[in-house]
Amino acid sequence: MRFEDRRDAGLRLAARLRETAAEREWFDPVVLALPRGGVPVAAEVARALHAPLDVLVARKIGLPGRPEVGIGAIAGEAPPVYDERALAMLGITPDELGASVARERTELHRREDLYRGHAPRPDLRDRTVILVDDGLATGVTARAAIRLVRGEGPAVLVLAVPVGDRRAAAELRPEVDELVCLSQPDDFRAVGLWFEDFPQTTDEEVLALLRELSVPERLRPVRHR
């Protein structure tokens, strides 16, 4: 399965989630996007479920000298989450990644200030939280976000992505109440390969979608219509 762009992926993901919502009582849902790429996908989910959109900023921790290779991630003020298999294979200890963690924590705070300003984070207790990204590669960034959200006491935690690596999806499935991944190709390789158009999402796009969709609605269960 290939997608035209992130909006197309979001529409298809939203359709699947509406079907799932029709079978369950998802009380007072909130959609949390992993910025930046997850936001256009999550916007379509928020529209379909009549739910507010917010962001959960997580940052990948890259391999020293090769920052594009993610071997860990941080979310909020929680401790880093690492790909333990990768650390063991590379012979790297968490202590050796201290400088990378500090750098990414600074960038995380910058982005939180940009996207959220002084707005309080949503209260996730007893709510259905739908965590959305544009895809799963190693899954380490999603794992950091999942563990942060789980610690805030949601009633139901859903991870929803259009495409993902089969092993990453299998490893994350036990950490959520529901995992929705539309496509898990055998030859996955990278998220962007499964989109016809996969430009970098800009901060301006993120802010525009948050302005449009972040107004909370009254408490209600989501029902299929």
Side-chain angles (χ1 to χ4, degrees):
M1 178 185 294
R2 290 179 64 84
F3 305 95
E4 292 179 16
D5 53 21
R6 289 183 178 88
R7 182 173 182 271
D8 174 52
L11 288 168
R12 295 202 225 176
L13 189 60
R16 176 69 62 82
L17 287 165
R18 280 179 63 88
E19 293 174 3
T20 304
E23 302 168 1
R24 296 161 175 76
E25 288 282 311
W26 280 358
F27 182 72
D28 191 19
V30 57
V31 178
L32 293 184
L34 291 175
R36 290 181 292 207
V39 177
V41 181
E44 300 305 330
V45 173
R47 289 188 181 107
L49 298 181
H50 307 289
L53 174 68
D54 212 312
V55 291
L56 193 163
V57 182
R59 294 292 298 170
K60 177 175 69 178
I61 300 167
L63 181 66
R66 296 186 61 193
E68 74 282 1
V69 179
I71 54 175
I74 53 173
E77 298 303 316
V81 172
Y82 292 108
D83 182 337
E84 300 294 345
R85 185 187 298 112
L87 291 185
M89 289 177 58
L90 295 165
I92 296 174
T93 67
D95 288 345
E96 295 175 79
L97 298 168
S100 296
V101 172
R103 183 168 57 251
E104 295 304 332
R105 189 83 70 184
T106 297
E107 177 62 14
L108 184 151
H109 291 156
R110 186 195 73 80
R111 292 200 182 194
E112 283 186 334
D113 289 344
L114 176 64
Y115 300 150
R116 313 201 78 261
H118 298 293
R121 291 178 59 191
D123 186 351
L124 305 182
R125 288 173 297 177
D126 302 323
R127 301 180 73 173
T128 297
V129 177
I130 304 161
L131 186 64
V132 179
D133 203 356
D134 56 9
L136 284 178
T138 66
V140 68
T141 303
R143 178 174 285 109
I146 287 166
R147 292 184 180 177
L148 181 68
V149 172
R150 183 64 82 188
E152 298 187 11
V156 177
L157 176 52
V158 181
L159 175 63
V161 294
V163 63
D165 175 78
R166 192 180 301 276
R167 187 176 74 177
E171 290 177 348
L172 288 174
R173 192 176 299 277
E175 300 205 24
V176 294
D177 299 302
E178 188 113 28
L179 188 146
V180 177
C181 181
L182 301 184
S183 178
Q184 298 179 41
D186 292 330
D187 56 341
F188 172 76
R189 290 180 289 167
V191 172
L193 295 178
W194 303 96
F195 292 77
E196 299 293 340
D197 189 23
F198 197 68
Q200 186 176 60
T201 304
T202 66
D203 287 334
E204 290 73 20
E205 290 176 87
V206 171
L207 291 169
L209 289 168
L210 288 174
R211 282 193 295 268
E212 177 187 352
L213 296 166
S214 63
V215 178
E217 296 189 355
R218 64 183 176 86
L219 305 184
R220 60 179 177 176
V222 174
R223 299 182 186 277
H224 184 63
R225 295 176 183 174

